[in-house]
Amino acid sequence: MFRTALSLVLATSLAAGAYTEPYRPQFHFSLPHSWMGDPNGLVYENGQYHLYSYGTWEGATSTDLVHWQNLPVTGPQRDAGSNAFFSGSAVVDTHNTTGFGTVRNPPMVAMYTSVQEGSGIQAQSLAYSTDHGKSWTRYDGNPVLDLGSKDFRDPKVFWYEPAHDWRMVITLSDQHKVSVYESPDLKQWKHLSDFGPFGSVSGVWEMPDLFPLRVDGGRVRWVLSVSVGSTGVQYFVGTFDGTTFTPDGPATYTPPAGVPLENFESGSYGDWTTTGDAFGTAPASGTLPDQQAVSGYVGTHLVNSYNGGDRSTGTLSSPEFTITKPHLNFAIGGGQHPYVEGATPFGTLPPGEVFADFSGSTYGAGWTATGSFAGAGPTPSSLPNQLGPQVLDTFTPAGDAGTGTITSPVFTISRPYIDLQVAGGNHPWGQPNPTAVNLLVDGNVVASATGPNAPDLTWNNWDVSAYQGKQAQVQVVDDNTGTSGWGHLMVGDILLADSPAKPWDVQTGVNLVVDGKVVRSATGANSEVLDWTSWDLQDLIGHRAHLEVVDHNSGGWGHVLADDFRLSDSPASSTNERAHWMDFGSDFYAANTWNGTGGKRVGIAWMSNWAYAGQVPTSPWQGATTFPRDLSLRTINGTVQLAQQPVPAITSLRGPAVHIKATTNGTKPLALNGDTLEIQATLRPGTAKRFGLNVRAGGTQYTQIGYDTRSKKLYVDRTHSGAVGFSPSFADVKSAPLDLVNGELTLRILVDRSSVEVFADQGQVTLTDQIFPDPTSRGITAFADQGTSSTTLTAWPLRSTWH
């Protein structure tokens, strides 16, 4: 994977008292004192399952995939000229094709991505072990495969018995492709084929895997999985002939029919009206001058606001119409700049005075800097929402590795508000290694702001009315070296103001307006590929409305694409909604399976998310793996789907069973509690609109695992799960489409001290989420909204695997 590499840390044996810290997983694997990244080097040998962590090669072994023994692993050393090594895989070279061992003592061989210092070129390298994975030696002939690419990574190697040689799948990550290679000896590689782009391309492709499974225990199909940015892990079912993977199913999608609201195919806007210059005088016939290739539109014409480039702005409005169908479907692309209620025109500022705009050659008169920033100054930039030509940027001059402070001179707080623009890393003050802007009064931090983990300068508003007349300083603190991303901060204008600065209207999107108010909105995904979206309008049928296609953005990706607006009886599905996902939760990524397990296939994934992986409130470790899962292919509703269940050895952790039956109207406490539980439940909706279970409940805290009968979706809501404020990306609700079977919902739930894993029905739908509740939040409740539901469950407390 493309990550900043961590220093090599040797695994240590389990110290007395370890694995008892707050939030420490008790039956999910985590490293004793280190960052846990992608699960790497998964290989089964002589009754031992081997597991290593990306970037560190710290390792562990298990005989049952439940109880783990940490290994004091040595190596491999980095390749000459390489400043990092990324994810990879391991095999046992039974036939000693590499010559690294003997047939009697075959070597374990790891293939991984090494990253060249300076250029960032990603190439594939080998290391080998002749002592069962305890120590590793770098191959002198590295790299064994080099395309000169910065986006060529994460090799998964396996033995292909029909050809009696090796196969490898690896990603061309920025091209959304998986390449297939063959080799007789793991050293010499021949390119065979490429697969993709296909399915979801909402993020870079990483961590591929390819393996066979029998469908319902019969015919063999192959499963290709690939991680997609921070979106999740998608999979394809198809055939593999040793050279090419071919997915089952159609390659195209036809949205539901409906009543059109435009006729852009005529080459005219018709009775739609425009303002500004962004939309031109008629629909575009595809790609406009100087624009990247546009695709995904229907027919030959579409709305394209790139007329004159990103700097042009304007609106395109439909005539008023009556909403007569429950859904409005359309295709959208372009910039990802959503509608914000109450936003004001770009550049609108409240009354006041500019305290700092960093427009000079220094930070300003009286500003002082320490650490990496001593002697540095403002940085010319063009960030979204930037007002002047320069910003304070702690990436200058030492990159993410740079740390220090930048402090203003003492000033008098003369207005009731301090408004400031902040971008960059989201590492709040009060947490380890902050990237924060602080207001100091009498030497104490009385207000603080951090970035959004994005380059967009965002307004922060401090109410300082209680400190008016006092002496103060603004201090920018960067104590983060970026090992988990965004280890720097950007600060734009700072104002002493009479009121809070409002967000600016920089949207690129489509709005539905009813009675003068925006009631639905959609934006692009920073892509020239249009994708389908759908609005549920059941509550608006009979209302008069009109559509507005809006481009109020003159910066990067400052345009919108739209096409084929139709009122319909059923919703269209986006590419991500049509994709097959291994897990629908927030914390399932970099999935991988063990080599060498014979006919069965066991998988595991990184249980975290790059949006907040470096900010989770855990110490002295960060990150864990999902609980190992048995994978199978099953025919469900006429479709072959990947199904997953916890490996059977979890039953070795069970305590005495608890059996409960309950009928619920509202919220009902159950005679069950705990912070490490396995729950098997059958739920019936009755008359309820939503129903399910709340786990790790206590006071105002709970994690809700529920089913919405209207949307027919299973969901996990962690917005009230405990500590959620460490990142703006954490508090969320994730859902998955799921039909009830015979009117029932069957769930298997694994609850650990900082996670929930939900397996629905036959395991065809799973959701995995981290949670950080108080230790005292141990209750379980059943809930039913707007009606009644019934619950029958059996639960077991689970013992720790570490004590």
Side-chain angles (χ1 to χ4, degrees), residues 7 99 168 173 330 424 433 441 460 526 614 620 672 681 719 730 791:
S7 300
M168 173 179 67
S173 59
F330 58 97
N433 310 116
V441 176
N460 292 260
N526 286 350
L672 174 66
T719 58
F730 186 78
T791 303

Side-chain angles (χ1 to χ4, degrees), residues 286-309:
T287 307
L288 292 172
D290 299 322
Q291 187 177 22
Q292 299 176 45
V294 174
S295 62
Y297 54 96
V298 179
T300 59
H301 290 82
L302 76 155
V303 175
N304 186 343
S305 74
Y306 198 74
N307 288 276

